[in-house]
Amino acid sequence: DFNEAIRRQPRRGALRAWRGEVLRKLGRLSDCRRDLDLAVKLEPRYAFTWEIRGRLHLMLGRPKAALRDLERACRLDPARTMSFAWRAEARLRMGRLRGAWTDLEHIYPLEPLSFWNADRVEEGRLPDRAERQDSYWRTLDAAVNLAPDDGVAWLIRGRAFTTAGRGPEALSDLARAGKLLRAAPSALRG
C-alpha cells in the first residue's frame, strides 16, 4: 500500500511518483499533480517522476508544460525510451515534426522490441518477433485509418514500410504524408 509506505518514508519522492501514476490512471488528476509536484521537490533527479508529470500535462492539454517535464526526464535518463516516446507526442501536439522524429529515431537502438528496428533484430533472437510485428502493423494501419488527414501518421507508417523493404507501399504513404504536411507548414518546425 503506497499510503503506508509513504507514511514510513515520507522523504522518498519515488513512492509519491508511483502513487501519482496510480492516481493518474484512476483519473484523480489533482491528487496526482499534488504527489508529483512534491516528488520532484523530494527527488529531482528521478526521471520517472518528470515523465509521469509530463504525461499528466498531456492529458490536461498542456503540451508546452509536458515538453518541459519530458525534456528533463530525457536528460536525466537517456536510456528510458518511454520518456522519448512521450516527448515525441508532446512535440507532435505542438506541431514540431522534426523534433518528434528525432525522438523516435533515438528509440531505435534502445528498444529491441519496437517496430522501428524489428528488422535489425537477428533471426531467432526473439521467438515472438512476427507476432509483435503484426501487432505494430495493425497499430500503424489503425492510426492512418482513424486520422486520414494526419500527415505524421502517414509519415511514420511510410518509414516503417521503408524499413521493412516494402517500397511501393512506402512511396505511397510518404507521398501522402508530403501532401498533408505541405498543407500544414507549421508541422515542420523543429
Side-chain angles (χ1 to χ4, degrees), residues 59-122:
M59 285 180 72
L60 297 172
R62 297 191 293 234
K64 286 183 182 179
L67 185 59
R68 280 192 304 272
D69 284 353
L70 292 164
E71 284 176 343
R72 181 86 179 254
C74 292
R75 277 194 311 272
L76 289 170
D77 189 352
R80 186 166 175 74
T81 58
M82 289 309 298
S83 295
F84 284 89
W86 285 109
R87 186 171 76 176
E89 174 69 21
R91 286 177 166 171
L92 287 173
R93 290 188 190 184
M94 295 172 65
R96 296 181 178 177
L97 177 61
R98 286 190 184 132
W101 189 253
T102 300
D103 284 340
L104 295 174
E105 289 283 339
H106 177 81
I107 295 170
Y108 280 10
L110 300 175
E111 187 59 56
L113 298 180
S114 74
F115 74 88
W116 295 105
N117 66 358
D119 64 318
R120 299 176 192 171
V121 178
E122 291 179 33

